[in-house]
Amino acid sequence: TNIVIIIKAIESLDNVDHSTGAKWYDGLKMYTGIRGLFEAMPVFIFAFCCQVNIFSIYTELQRPSVRRIHKVVSRSFTLSLILYLAIGSFGYIGYKDNTLPNILNNLSITSPLDISAQICILITLCLSFPLNVYPAKFTVEMTFFAKRSKSVWHNFILTSILVFSSLLLSIIVPNIEVVFGILGSTTCSVVAFILPAAYYLKVYYQEHDTIWCKESISPILLLTSGFLLLIVGSYIAIIDIIHPVD
């Protein structure tokens, strides 16, 4: 998909009419205001919020250790960042103001190259969806059915509820940007910012009887930014649902 988006961007650059003085960067907007920032931040956080899979990945490592999991996390984040920057930058350069929330909708349904990209992303979704269903099912089981014995029917019914609820949500909410915005500003901000900072401050307070010191500056800033994103991001996401911007 990244390759197709890059090819489309290069084609758009070749189609620029230089005889009229037009430039490839005409129409690009590098900053859209504070609202645009708080609309984009939840999407960024959602894209890098993978904490739910850390423990399962750690247990599958050969000779698991903190040092090895740090390597896995740093390399995975670096690769993800490169891919996100590539598809985001080239996608925006290629379509500018016509870029849709789901960039796959910008692709043609008649071009073999575009269809191959859509098939690839379909395969990716099919293979990655179970990785997200498993931690959700595990959380529900530990919260509501921790003391009950598990059965095949229990596992089947719970998995079916999660899968079909996701399907129903995708049908009701046609804009994926809304889903990313709500999840990023609520669930992901809590998991990635608020809870880690709160746990650190709690442990530090238990050991030192205070949190007002230079070691607590970073977690306090993280906690504050998490609550700020939670409140402002959720407000903007709700406003966009009630009054969508054309």
Side-chain angles (χ1 to χ4, degrees):
T1 304
N2 280 352
I3 296 175
V4 173
I5 298 299
I6 293 173
I7 293 175
K8 290 294 181 179
I10 296 175
E11 289 179 350
S12 69
L13 297 181
D14 292 336
N15 294 331
V16 174
D17 188 3
H18 298 285
S19 62
T20 60
K23 305 295 183 181
W24 67 269
Y25 50 80
D26 290 342
L28 296 180
K29 299 177 181 179
M30 303 305 295
Y31 180 68
T32 58
I34 296 297
R35 174 168 180 167
L37 175 64
F38 279 97
E39 285 178 343
M41 282 300 297
V43 179
F44 294 158
I45 295 173
F46 179 84
F48 289 99
C49 193
C50 56
Q51 289 87 338
V52 294
N53 294 318
I54 289 295
F55 297 107
S56 60
I57 294 174
Y58 180 83
T59 57
E60 294 175 2
L61 288 176
Q62 292 184 359
R63 304 184 304 278
S65 65
V66 175
R67 180 173 174 270
R68 292 175 66 86
I69 193 64
H70 279 175
K71 285 185 177 181
V72 171
V73 171
S74 61
R75 292 171 182 175
S76 301
F77 269 60
T78 301
L79 178 60
S80 298
L81 177 61
I82 294 173
L83 294 176
Y84 289 151
L85 286 175
I87 194 171
S89 301
F90 284 98
Y92 184 46
I93 291 173
Y95 300 105
K96 296 184 175 65
D97 287 340
N98 295 321
T99 306
L100 298 175
N102 184 358
I103 200 170
L104 293 178
N105 292 332
N106 284 104
L107 301 179
S108 171
I109 58 174
T110 58
S111 170
L113 187 63
D114 293 358
I115 294 175
S116 64
Q118 294 170 340
I119 293 176
C120 289
I121 200 66
L122 175 63
I123 295 174
T124 301
L125 291 174
C126 292
L127 295 178
S128 62
F129 186 72
L131 298 178
N132 293 284
V133 171
Y134 174 77
K137 183 169 70 71
F138 179 79
T139 301
V140 173
E141 288 179 343
M142 291 297 100
T143 304
F144 300 102
F145 309 106
K147 297 181 180 180
R148 298 183 182 181
S149 58
K150 308 300 186 300
S151 64
V152 176
W153 280 107
H154 170 88
N155 181 67
F156 175 78
I157 293 174
L158 182 56
T159 304
S160 299
I161 292 174
L162 291 174
V163 171
F164 283 105
S165 61
S166 300
L167 175 62
L168 181 63
L169 179 63
S170 65
I171 295 174
I172 296 175
V173 183
N175 192 344
I176 192 65
E177 187 180 26
V178 174
V179 178
F180 287 164
I182 294 177
L183 289 178
S185 59
T186 55
T187 305
C188 296
S189 63
V190 172
V191 173
F193 290 94
I194 297 176
L195 290 182
Y199 290 150
Y200 178 90
L201 292 174
K202 179 180 180 181
V203 173
Y204 192 89
Y205 179 80
Q206 291 176 343
E207 295 179 353
H208 300 87
D209 294 329
T210 182
I211 60 172
W212 306 112
C213 57
K214 62 179 182 179
E215 287 81 4
S216 300
I217 294 177
S218 296
I220 290 176
L221 291 176
L222 187 66
L223 186 67
T224 304
S225 61
F227 275 112
L228 178 64
L229 180 64
L230 173 64
I231 296 172
V232 180
S234 300
Y235 172 77
I236 293 177
I238 294 173
I239 291 299
D240 287 340
I241 295 175
I242 300 176
H243 304 289
V245 179
D246 295 332

